[in-house]
């Protein structure tokens, strides 16, 4: 992940500066940047699965877009969500598919 993450600072920096630091500098600056352990593609697949499992749909769009940028294909995301449907619930899969379809259809 070559792009410096600034969402924490941009959205919460004035309200929760420590959280913004952890988000931007530690989570994305250190953990996501370590592509020796896991590729950005694989981290995105794992993160998307966790977000869908939690039902944290507010965070899903950003991570679907990041996943697409990290090389996840439409076929891969469809297979991932289909697989998850049996483990985390059909309604969560439907919600994820509705969002994923929009992301992968926007060119």
């Amino acid at each position: 992940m070559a792009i410096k993450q600034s969402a924490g600072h941009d959205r919460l920096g004035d309200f929760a500066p420590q959280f913004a630091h952890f988000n931007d500098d530690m989570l994305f600056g250190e953990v996501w940047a370590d592509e020796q352990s896991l590729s950005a593609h694989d981290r995105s697949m794992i993160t998307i699965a966790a977000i869908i499992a939690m039902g944290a749909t507010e965070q899903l769009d950003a991570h679907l877009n990041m996943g697409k940028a990290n090389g996840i294909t439409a076929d891969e995301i469809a297979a991932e969500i289909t697989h998850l449907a049996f483990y985390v619930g059909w309604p969560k899969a439907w919600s994820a598919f509705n969002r994923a379809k929009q992301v992968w259809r926007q060119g």
Side-chain angles (χ1 to χ4, degrees), residues 41-96:
H41 173 279
D42 291 350
R43 284 188 197 280
S44 284
M45 292 287 283
I46 293 164
T47 302
I48 290 167
I51 289 170
I52 292 169
M54 290 184 295
T57 55
E58 183 178 340
Q59 302 299 315
L60 187 56
D61 290 343
H63 281 280
L64 288 170
N65 280 296
M66 188 182 306
K68 183 178 178 186
N70 287 335
I72 297 174
T73 67
D75 288 342
E76 287 175 317
I77 199 65
E80 179 176 27
I81 296 169
T82 300
H83 183 80
L84 285 168
F86 292 94
Y87 290 91
V88 304
W90 219 251
K92 288 179 182 176
W94 267 104
S95 295

Side-chain angles (χ1 to χ4, degrees), residues 1 6 10 23 27 33 37-38 49 51 56 61 74 76 85 102 104 107:
M1 171 161 287
S6 63
D10 295 347
N23 184 81
L27 174 58
S37 301
L38 286 171
I51 289 170
D61 290 343
E76 287 175 317
Q102 292 175 344
W104 269 265

